[in-house]
Amino acid sequence: MEAWNPEKAASWNQAPKLHYRVDYDQQKAELFVTRLEAVTGDHDGGCDCYVQGSVANRTGTVEAQTALKKRRRHTTWEEGLALPLAEEELPTATLLLTLRTCDRFSRHSVLGELRLGLDGGSVPLGAAQWGELKTSVKEPSAGTGEVLLSISYLPAANRLLVVLIKAKNLHSNQSKALLGKDVSVKVTLKHQMQKLKKKQTKRAKHKINPVWNEMIMFELPDELLQASSVELEVLGQDEEGQSCALGHCSLGLHASGSERSHWEEMLKNPRRQIAMWHQLHL
């Protein structure tokens, strides 16, 4: 097992790293992930963290997760993950390890993930090693920005909750004129191509990094959730007080990247608030 070295971790430029060992029990037909450790930077959010593992087998996707641990720069878990998997499925299976955080408001965020092929090449069974977690956060491009929001679904109440938290690096061709003006977010719920309902947040002062911390609730039957989506449009005001689009994004299974993975995480974790940053597009 490779020893953890604080100086080496610092040289990783605070990118989240995960230590793991993968073993396979032929008698139990189970995949075991042990020796879990995470190294995160001071800037990474959340006061607690945990590791979730998932792998696809013949009957679908199976998941397991560790207990919540107080997040430190170096966090370790004593327990491992056990995932049922037939031996003949090993060569074509992919193990997904996801490092998550949870804040004091029970909002869950994804710090990063690691996809491991189990064909024995990239991940030798029985060998412990460090892996660099891939994050879905994209570099903000000129003329756009990013928005932080959480989504959750309450099956018993048939309610979809969207919490608009804040945005950063908002820009537009008229960004100087828009500074100090009000900025809001229009949220549209769609099922397939049909618009079901739209709501709008209160206005916040546009200071490049506005904060809303506002929850929007939609009534949505469980059977419609899979094929539904949420569209966000950040709106500013021009000189005449008319609405001006600063950027938009769309969450759902129709999307790709973080916009799709955010929706997938919500579907897998009912009643949990899952928070992620998303790049705005013009």
Side-chain angles (χ1 to χ4, degrees), residues 24 28-31 53-64 82-96 118:
Y24 186 75
K28 294 183 178 180
E30 283 186 329
L31 195 69
S54 65
V55 66
N57 61 19
R58 282 176 297 192
T59 59
T61 300
V62 292
E63 297 179 345
L83 301 159
L85 185 67
E87 187 174 5
E88 59 268 22
E89 294 180 273
L90 270 174
T92 57
T94 298
L95 172 65
L96 176 64
L118 299 174

Side-chain angles (χ1 to χ4, degrees), residues 113-153:
E113 63 183 29
L114 198 59
R115 291 185 181 271
L116 306 170
L118 299 174
D119 54 5
S122 57
V123 185
L125 295 179
Q129 56 188 321
W130 287 97
E132 180 174 336
L133 297 174
K134 304 296 182 184
T135 62
S136 58
V137 176
K138 303 173 184 177
E139 290 295 322
S141 57
T144 55
E146 293 176 271
V147 61
L148 175 64
L149 68 142
S150 73
I151 53 176
S152 61
Y153 186 72

Side-chain angles (χ1 to χ4, degrees), residues 152-160 189 191 196 218-228 253 263 266-271:
S152 61
Y153 186 72
L154 309 178
N158 286 332
R159 287 179 179 174
L160 176 67
L189 175 66
H191 177 67
L196 300 181
F218 294 105
E219 300 284 342
L220 183 65
D222 184 57
E223 61 270 18
L224 299 184
L225 182 63
Q226 191 87 8
S228 295
L253 296 182
W263 198 261
M266 178 200 66
L267 293 175
K268 293 178 190 174
N269 300 278
R271 295 175 296 278

Side-chain angles (χ1 to χ4, degrees), residues 57-102:
N57 61 19
R58 282 176 297 192
T59 59
T61 300
V62 292
E63 297 179 345
Q65 68 181 50
T66 66
L68 279 172
K69 292 290 290 285
K70 181 76 175 176
R71 192 184 71 79
R72 306 180 187 280
R73 284 183 62 85
H74 181 213
T75 309
T76 61
W77 289 267
E78 290 75 27
E79 80 269 31
L81 305 173
L83 301 159
L85 185 67
E87 187 174 5
E88 59 268 22
E89 294 180 273
L90 270 174
T92 57
T94 298
L95 172 65
L96 176 64
L97 296 176
T98 307
L99 179 62
R100 303 170 178 275
T101 62
C102 176

Side-chain angles (χ1 to χ4, degrees), residues 10-80:
S11 71
W12 284 337
N13 196 28
Q14 296 187 327
K17 294 287 192 297
L18 188 69
H19 185 271
Y20 61 93
R21 170 177 165 159
V22 180
D23 292 279
Y24 186 75
D25 188 317
Q26 291 178 315
Q27 285 189 325
K28 294 183 178 180
E30 283 186 329
L31 195 69
F32 287 97
V33 185
T34 57
R35 299 192 184 180
L36 289 165
E37 305 175 47
V39 174
T40 57
D42 293 332
H43 66 286
D44 294 322
C47 50
D48 296 305
C49 62
Y50 62 100
V51 178
Q52 184 180 60
S54 65
V55 66
N57 61 19
R58 282 176 297 192
T59 59
T61 300
V62 292
E63 297 179 345
Q65 68 181 50
T66 66
L68 279 172
K69 292 290 290 285
K70 181 76 175 176
R71 192 184 71 79
R72 306 180 187 280
R73 284 183 62 85
H74 181 213
T75 309
T76 61
W77 289 267
E78 290 75 27
E79 80 269 31

Side-chain angles (χ1 to χ4, degrees), residues 101-112:
T101 62
C102 176
D103 66 15
R104 60 193 180 94
F105 302 109
S106 296
R107 289 190 294 245
H108 293 247
S109 303
V110 175
L111 268 188

